[in-house]
Amino acid sequence: MVTINDNYLKLKAGYLFPEIARRVNAFVESNPDASIIKLGIGDVTEPLPEACREAMVKAIEEMGDRATFKGYGPEQGYAWLREKIAAQDFQARGCDIDPSEIFVSDGSKCDCGNILDILGKGNTIAVTDPVYPVYVDTNVMAGHTGDADDSGKYGGLVYLPISADNDFTAKIPTEKVDIIYLCFPNNPTGAVASKEALQAWVDYARANGSLILFDAAYEAFISDPNVPHSIYEIEGARDCAIEFRSFSKNAGFTGTRCALTVVPKTLKGKASDGSDVALWGLWNRRQSTKFNGVSYVVQRGAEAVYSEAGQAQTKALISFYMENAKIICDRLSEAGLKVYGGVNAPYVWVKTPDGMSSWDFFDKLLSLANVVGTPGSGFGAAGEGYFRISAFNSRANVNEAMDRITKNLKV
Ligand SMILES: *Cc1c(COP(=O)(O)O)cnc(C)c1O
């Protein structure tokens, strides 16, 4: 009989969101009249910007005319999109990134996992705790870890705790690690890293020959002018970092699908014969072989993000979510809760009161306010005692949820 990839058997069964659904369903069954407000999911709620929709409608019309029809496009993405990304997302911020170093894809989640195709088996891998689960699970699938222990930590991974004690940016490890996943602005904590904090990571990576996998999916939510949007704003990052970006959160493309990965041509890794090999060539080969590009229509939609109207509309979209985040922060503080994040990211990371566990706080919020959030412990052992509230929702739902919490939750 065919054999399977046993590494999949090491995965902790998708625990977090199914367990949330189970508890919500149980509550609704015994309280059929409760109207539940969900502030748990990391998905956008507001419609696509008009500029993107118009560009896609026009592109569909082009596909319906023999003279302008498009078949396969370049696997790396159309040059007109990559040029705008390079100019407006990177060069305008002083980052030395060329359009040829940008690879357009159908998602950052996919790229975060696929990047492991071009990296070796014996690397020591560091992730933060709490963490976006994709970084961990893709390494488990690739056979880069041992089994999980009772707290959900996998053998072989280096976990870097992030908490209020280290400004949620993780201490530079004392041991040598080969790959470091960093996500700023952070999901789930909403924290950002200062230029100095990122410089320390880049210096560490260059001193140790390590690779930083930098997830900047939420860069557009940064409001503080001193916070870097890209790892390439940091001196030396071209030699040690790959950056993932996405149109999912800044332009509402979670269901439309478009993202990009930057692999600088100067970035190298070691082959088993000891020679240095550019990662760009490997990623280019990987994408050209296993990927056939993002749809023309969607790339036109993404291009429209960079138009004057698109910039204004995405800015308005982000402001809307960040006003939600401010309301959540203000009202929860008013209720006596300690909150983090929510200023440069659409997530508010709430300290549970009185040392309550994340799941106990979940149950309390559900039963007393009929509001659903995400228990911090679901993102890693160090997330215990925290709770994530997402700003992705309608204003009415956010206001109603906060009214209920301030009224019913006595801290
Ligand atoms: C939402 C999100 C992404 C974006 O993923 P896509 O596949 O591009 O939709 C990437 N990283 C993090 C941490 C996210 O929360």
Side-chain angles (χ1 to χ4, degrees):
M1 195 188 268
V2 67
T3 62
I4 58 145
N5 179 350
D6 274 331
N7 296 311
Y8 278 64
L9 305 179
K10 294 181 199 163
L11 292 165
K12 299 266 282 183
Y15 171 70
L16 179 60
F17 290 101
E19 178 61 16
I20 290 175
R22 193 190 67 74
R23 292 189 190 211
V24 172
N25 290 340
F27 181 79
V28 170
E29 229 159 79
S30 38
N31 302 273
D33 296 333
S35 90
I36 306 281
I37 299 179
K38 292 185 178 168
L39 297 177
I41 310 157
D43 194 0
V44 297
T45 53
E46 302 310 299
L48 285 176
E50 190 182 357
C52 301
R53 296 196 316 265
E54 279 175 358
M56 287 194 277
V57 167
K58 181 163 169 272
I60 288 174
E61 291 306 325
E62 286 177 62
M63 294 297 263
D65 182 340
R66 198 166 199 292
T68 49
F69 169 79
K70 304 279 187 298
Y72 290 124
E75 289 96 346
Q76 299 80 2
Y78 283 100
W80 36 258
L81 176 56
R82 289 184 289 108
E83 280 158 13
K84 290 192 177 75
I85 294 167
Q88 295 190 43
D89 283 343
F90 295 102
Q91 292 160 8
R93 303 198 67 86
C95 304
D96 176 21
I97 294 297
D98 187 79
S100 65
E101 297 174 313
I102 291 165
F103 294 83
V104 176
S105 78
D106 58 350
S108 272
K109 178 164 148 179
C110 339
D111 286 353
C112 284
N114 291 338
I115 201 72
L116 298 178
D117 265 16
I118 66 163
L119 300 171
K121 289 280 175 209
N123 292 309
T124 312
I125 295 152
V127 293
T128 61
D129 177 11
V131 68
Y132 179 53
V134 174
Y135 313 146
V136 172
D137 288 357
T138 52
N139 275 291
V140 175
M141 291 170 174
H144 296 169
T145 73
D147 290 321
D149 66 16
D150 290 341
S151 73
K153 286 187 178 176
Y154 288 93
L157 289 185
V158 175
Y159 287 89
L160 308 169
I162 53 176
S163 68
D165 297 338
N166 51 35
D167 284 336
F168 297 97
T169 55
K171 267 211 328 249
I172 304 287
T174 44
E175 72 252 69
K176 183 178 168 302
V177 298
D178 302 306
I179 297 172
I180 306 135
Y181 287 86
L182 293 178
C183 173
F184 290 113
N186 188 259
N187 178 8
T189 67
V192 286
S194 67
K195 200 158 189 167
E196 294 70 33
L198 291 181
Q199 187 69 61
W201 278 110
V202 167
D203 292 346
Y204 169 87
R206 293 180 79 200
N208 291 282
S210 327
L211 172 66
I212 295 173
L213 296 175
F214 191 77
D215 186 342
Y218 295 96
E219 64 76 30
F221 293 82
I222 294 172
S223 57
D224 181 340
N226 297 316
V227 171
H229 287 236
S230 167
I231 191 75
Y232 305 114
E233 290 178 52
I234 309 303
E235 171 114 44
R238 279 186 57 87
D239 300 324
C240 65
I242 286 174
E243 181 164 308
F244 303 103
R245 288 217 181 180
S246 174
F247 294 93
S248 282
K249 312 294 163 46
N250 67 338
F253 273 47
T254 52
T256 307
R257 311 305 305 145
C258 197
L260 59 117
T261 288
V262 183
V263 185
K265 288 185 171 162
T266 43
L267 181 61
K268 297 202 168 68
K270 272 253 177 287
S272 53
D273 67 2
S275 60
D276 290 349
V277 177
L279 296 184
W280 185 92
L282 301 183
W283 185 244
N284 192 42
R285 186 62 206 263
R286 193 264 169 215
Q287 290 299 81
S288 304
T289 303
K290 293 197 182 182
F291 185 58
N292 245 338
V294 176
S295 103
Y296 171 72
V297 173
V298 168
Q299 288 190 68
R300 283 297 187 198
E303 182 194 28
V305 167
Y306 298 94
S307 67
E308 211 172 295
Q311 286 289 291
Q313 290 160 16
T314 48
K315 223 177 235 151
L317 200 52
I318 289 160
S319 302
F320 170 77
Y321 290 128
M322 291 314 292
E323 280 161 36
N324 282 350
K326 185 172 186 322
I327 292 168
I328 294 168
C329 285
D330 289 350
R331 303 284 313 271
L332 293 183
S333 303
E334 198 184 298
L337 291 161
K338 178 86 188 128
V339 298
Y340 300 94
V343 176
N344 295 293
Y347 296 115
V348 180
W349 191 239
V350 184
K351 183 90 193 86
T352 61
D354 308 323
M356 200 184 282
S357 81
S358 299
W359 278 112
D360 284 349
F361 189 67
F362 174 92
D363 290 333
K364 188 166 175 166
L365 218 54
L366 178 60
S367 60
L368 296 183
N370 305 163
V371 172
V372 178
T374 315
S377 54
F379 298 100
E384 181 57 271
Y386 289 94
F387 197 76
R388 190 189 77 174
I389 297 205
S390 156
F392 292 128
N393 218 310
S394 69
R395 183 61 45 80
N397 275 352
V398 167
N399 281 330
E400 170 68 18
M402 293 305 121
D403 284 348
R404 292 187 197 166
I405 292 175
T406 44
K407 221 178 278 156
N408 302 321
L409 200 78
K410 293 278 169 281
V411 178

